[in-house]
Amino acid sequence: MSAPTLSKSKATPPSHGRPGSDRTNFAREEFVRSVRRNLSAHGFLIGAVLCFSFFSWYPMVREFILAFQKNENGKTTWAGWSNLTYIFNDPAFWQAWRNTLLFTGLALLLGFVVPFVVAVVLNEFRHGQGYLRLLVYLPVMLPPVASVLLFKYFYDPGYGLFNRILETFGLPAQQWLQDTDTAMLSVVIAATWMSMGGATLIYLAALQGIPGELYEAAELDGAGILRKIWHVTIPQTRLILSLMLLMQIIATMQVFTEPFLLTNGAGPEGSTTTVVYLIYQYAFNFNNYGSAAALGLVLLVLLAGFSAVYVRLSRGSED
Amino acid sequence: MTANTLVPRRKRAATVEVARPRTLISPAQLGRSRGRAVYWIVFALVVLLFTLVFLGPLYWMVTGGLKTTQEVVQSPPTAFPTSMHPENYEQAWKVMDLAKLLFNTLYYAFGALAFQLIFDVAAAYSLSKLRPIFGKAILGLMLMTLMIPATVLVVPQYLTVLDVPIIERNLLNSPWAIWLPSVTNAFNIFLLKRFFDSIPRELLDAAAIDGASAMRTLRSVVLPISRPILGVVSIFAVVGVWKDFLWPMLTLPDPGKQTLNVGIYSLASGVPENVLIAALTIASVPTLLIFLLFQRNIMSGLTAGGLKG
């Protein structure tokens, strides 16, 4: 008990009453003040830092450790690279990657192009923009279980709306989620409907920042609509477009909920098994945390590459 | 470029003529009768298409909940229920125990909101205005978590929740499993910090001269100014919990403690279609209400979260 009070009296020496008279005194006072300031500042930080430590930073470290451990009958042993060799030899691994890349490719084709086109079109309207923006964003607010089960009904080969629509256009009915050829595309269509609102609104905001003079200048040079889009709209939104592209790659490669809910994860003959679903299976169906972590690590390394580009680009955008 | 030299003059002229900034299609083109006709045709088509594509499924959902089981799975589907069965909603409410699921979800969502508001706001305030030693490093570590794919961490996070180190608690089936991890939202901290950064230093200095403590300054100066960003962060926090699926599925296996998403999913195969659709409608109402009430904040939050701020 006495130690802190002692050190405190040392920190505030008797010459305290004459400020500035002694250089070291002044420095010491400054030091005490900064310690006190720091204590209160760290007090404000402590809650978040603790949460991050337990639920973010520690799991990050643990992910690396788990990937090289085996857990059998409640006993944890060092496994070296065996988890990695195990997943590489698992045929499901390659199928999951093929499916995930297919999902990412299709999701970019739809989920990247469609919102941009929609944003460009909406930006031209002088009426009803509020209503249209609201519509596009509406599905984003639905609980995923609602939108996913809705699409399950629409995809039903028997009474589903989608086959009804195809029929009115004289097109052949599809098996949608139940066919290996169309299952992933069906998942992508649903996923795009569910989430395109966010991207659309971000593009809209970007489009509204384009100075109109650029379009005028392009018109003076005789550019038509498509050339204006190519030479003005896209270059002016390039930064946001490239960042959104990367963010979408990163997000779509982690897809889980949509295939899980739409096709119970696997789909016909495993045609919608994604990498994250495989992680889920390893960990929670087979109790094989090591392999799950190893697969997570592979995903992490791959996405870290994309993230590095992302950081680079977003740094560039700050200036 | 010539465009650059034209900027100031043109800008002023533009604000006088039309309130809207120039876009892709020139006003002259729109002014022509052909241009105007094309504009209205495209506009009508887009409005129609969007209403069908985005409102249609919701309409189908709300009316589907009113149909009989036969009518829901009937082909071709009916646009309007032939006979009304509002009792489906009642049945969904009872059979799926939606009151319980709804209460759970609200409880988790607003708990998460409270924790995020307290811890994340305090952290952002500290990092932005109090500038502690190592503050930059801590912020860096927090932002680093944005770079790690979230799904990669699900397994080790789950194991952490099973047995939290040091305090040695199992948080499975406890609301803490939702609340505490929700605080680790680096994006919200980043949004808040950026907003706090924009508050002029002089304002805080004035408060300090008046003898206000850091806490008092936060409460009486910073928070009242920050209402818009607090609104945005709050909506994101609530909606985040409302929309989450994988994490609550893993950490809340007890049916009595599940969220709407997980509960409806696990009960889905056991109830008739029309009742299930009614349940989906009920589950959608709260977030849709939040959206309709706060859409202005949500829109501004989205663009604030965008890159140029």
Side-chain angles (χ1 to χ4, degrees):
Chain A
M1 232 6 250
S2 62
T5 47
L6 242 175
S7 67
K8 209 173 194 178
S9 68
K10 252 186 200 163
T12 47
S15 60
H16 179 67
R18 288 176 287 154
S21 64
D22 188 347
R23 250 203 163 154
T24 54
N25 264 352
F26 184 72
R28 230 177 250 163
E29 249 174 74
E30 193 77 332
F31 174 75
V32 169
R33 204 172 305 141
S34 104
V35 165
R36 201 170 292 152
R37 197 176 56 91
N38 263 299
L39 274 181
S40 100
H42 282 289
F44 278 95
L45 265 177
I46 192 81
V49 165
L50 279 179
C51 286
F52 268 92
S53 312
F54 280 119
F55 298 104
S56 222
W57 297 328
Y58 169 66
M60 263 157 68
V61 176
R62 194 151 180 204
E63 162 73 21
F64 281 89
I65 299 170
L66 272 176
F68 298 99
Q69 279 181 341
K70 244 194 186 84
N71 198 323
E72 274 167 332
N73 317 320
K75 257 180 60 184
T76 311
T77 51
W78 200 244
W81 296 98
S82 70
N83 285 325
L84 277 161
T85 51
Y86 171 79
I87 59 166
F88 280 119
N89 285 318
D90 186 351
F93 174 86
W94 300 104
Q95 192 185 19
W97 275 107
R98 265 200 309 277
N99 290 339
T100 304
L101 292 177
L102 177 65
F103 180 90
T104 303
L106 289 172
L108 287 184
L109 219 61
L110 281 178
F112 187 64
V113 177
V114 173
F116 186 70
V117 172
V118 165
V120 168
V121 172
L122 289 199
N123 196 37
E124 291 310 313
F125 291 153
R126 275 124 185 90
H127 312 84
Q129 249 200 43
Y131 171 70
L132 290 169
R133 265 192 313 214
L134 190 114
L135 281 186
V136 195
Y137 202 69
L138 213 53
V140 180
M141 298 303 284
L142 286 183
V145 74
S147 18
V148 158
L149 290 181
L150 271 180
F151 268 85
K152 246 179 157 168
Y153 285 116
F154 296 158
Y155 279 134
D156 190 282
Y159 58 83
L161 270 180
F162 285 166
N163 274 346
R164 196 78 16 217
I165 293 168
L166 288 185
E167 202 177 77
T168 53
F169 288 103
L171 295 164
Q174 300 292 323
Q175 289 297 304
W176 299 109
L177 295 166
Q178 275 137 37
D179 187 331
T180 49
D181 291 333
T182 50
M184 196 50 108
L185 179 67
S186 309
V187 173
V188 173
I189 292 172
T192 304
W193 183 83
M194 286 163 70
S195 61
M196 66 175 276
T200 307
L201 293 192
I202 289 173
Y203 294 147
L204 254 178
L207 290 175
Q208 277 156 9
I210 299 178
E213 293 79 18
L214 296 179
Y215 289 120
E216 279 166 14
E219 272 153 27
L220 288 178
D221 292 342
I225 290 181
L226 287 180
R227 297 196 53 172
K228 273 189 270 180
I229 293 179
W230 187 251
H231 290 293
V232 179
T233 313
I234 292 180
Q236 284 292 309
T237 45
R238 205 196 72 237
L239 213 70
I240 289 200
L241 284 176
S242 54
L243 283 173
M244 291 294 286
L245 182 71
L246 283 159
M247 293 215 293
Q248 279 199 11
I249 290 173
I250 291 168
T252 51
M253 289 194 52
Q254 298 181 65
V255 66
F256 172 84
T257 310
E258 289 88 350
F260 184 81
L261 287 170
L262 275 169
T263 60
N264 295 319
E269 293 167 46
S271 55
T272 61
T273 302
T274 61
V275 171
V276 175
Y277 179 68
L278 193 60
I279 294 180
Y280 169 86
Q281 256 195 329
Y282 280 145
F284 303 107
N285 293 347
F286 310 148
N287 263 327
N288 188 346
Y289 296 122
S291 297
L295 182 51
L297 217 53
V298 175
L299 183 64
L300 174 73
V301 168
L302 210 86
L303 292 185
F306 288 116
S307 293
V309 182
Y310 172 87
V311 172
R312 257 231 155 94
L313 283 168
S314 60
R315 279 230 180 99
S317 80
E318 304 258 298
D319 326 315
Chain B
M1 274 292 284
T2 46
N4 266 342
T5 56
L6 285 174
V7 168
R9 213 175 338 130
R10 289 272 176 156
K11 222 174 209 166
R12 213 170 299 133
T15 46
V16 174
E17 281 164 25
V18 273
R20 272 185 60 86
R22 264 273 347 232
T23 52
L24 192 52
I25 293 165
S26 70
Q29 229 168 343
L30 272 179
R32 269 177 241 135
S33 59
R34 204 176 79 98
R36 217 175 303 155
V38 171
Y39 171 82
W40 282 111
I41 290 169
V42 172
F43 179 71
L45 281 177
V46 168
V47 168
L48 193 72
L49 184 76
F50 272 48
T51 309
L52 271 179
V53 168
F54 293 108
L55 221 48
L58 294 186
Y59 172 79
W60 187 90
M61 180 167 76
V62 175
T63 53
L66 293 167
K67 293 173 180 172
T68 61
T69 319
Q70 288 88 341
E71 202 185 341
V72 168
V73 296
Q74 171 192 318
S75 181
T78 47
F80 196 76
T82 45
S83 58
M84 290 291 191
H85 296 275
E87 71 271 13
N88 293 339
Y89 282 90
E90 210 183 310
Q91 210 188 332
W93 185 262
K94 275 195 202 130
V95 173
M96 305 190 84
D97 207 355
L98 288 183
K100 179 104 212 159
L101 295 178
L102 203 62
F103 170 80
N104 288 346
T105 315
L106 276 170
Y107 183 53
Y108 301 139
F110 283 94
L113 170 63
F115 275 94
Q116 281 189 49
L117 279 185
I118 294 169
F119 289 153
D120 289 353
V121 165
Y125 172 63
S126 170
L127 291 170
S128 167
K129 292 298 179 204
L130 305 177
R131 308 267 177 143
I133 191 167
F134 302 130
K136 281 223 164 103
I138 291 171
L139 181 67
L141 281 172
M142 285 175 172
L143 292 180
M144 184 185 70
T145 61
L146 288 177
M147 305 293 153
I148 305 283
T151 47
V152 166
L153 290 187
V154 161
V155 173
Q157 263 175 343
Y158 173 76
L159 293 177
T160 307
V161 166
L162 277 190
D163 181 14
V164 182
I166 305 170
I167 56 171
E168 296 187 342
R169 288 277 175 77
N170 182 347
L171 298 183
L172 220 60
N173 282 325
S174 118
W176 298 101
I178 305 286
W179 293 341
L180 294 180
S182 82
V183 173
T184 66
N185 190 332
F187 184 69
N188 276 355
I189 292 180
F190 178 67
L191 275 186
L192 288 164
K193 183 186 173 285
R194 279 201 24 178
F195 192 92
F196 293 163
D197 283 344
S198 71
I199 298 175
R201 189 82 249 170
E202 295 79 36
L203 221 52
L204 303 194
D205 288 343
I209 289 168
D210 289 346
S213 65
M215 184 54 120
R216 182 73 207 267
T217 313
L218 173 63
R219 226 181 38 219
S220 318
V221 181
V222 175
L223 288 187
I225 306 175
S226 311
R227 223 172 274 161
I229 197 75
L230 293 177
V232 169
V233 168
S234 303
I235 293 162
F236 283 171
V238 170
V239 172
V241 173
W242 213 276
K243 292 202 60 174
D244 203 4
F245 179 79
L246 175 60
W247 186 248
M249 176 175 72
L250 292 175
T251 54
L252 305 162
D254 179 352
K257 303 214 160 131
Q258 278 167 353
T259 60
L260 275 167
N261 273 322
V262 183
I264 291 180
Y265 167 72
S266 54
L267 292 174
S269 51
V271 290
E273 277 85 355
N274 51 351
V275 175
L276 178 60
I277 296 170
L280 299 183
T281 310
I282 296 173
S284 307
V285 167
T287 40
L288 288 182
L289 271 184
I290 290 180
F291 176 48
L292 295 176
L293 283 175
F294 298 103
Q295 46 148 323
R296 205 171 283 260
N297 307 46
I298 293 175
M299 305 282 176
S300 70
L302 271 171
T303 44
L307 310 150
K308 289 219 156 165

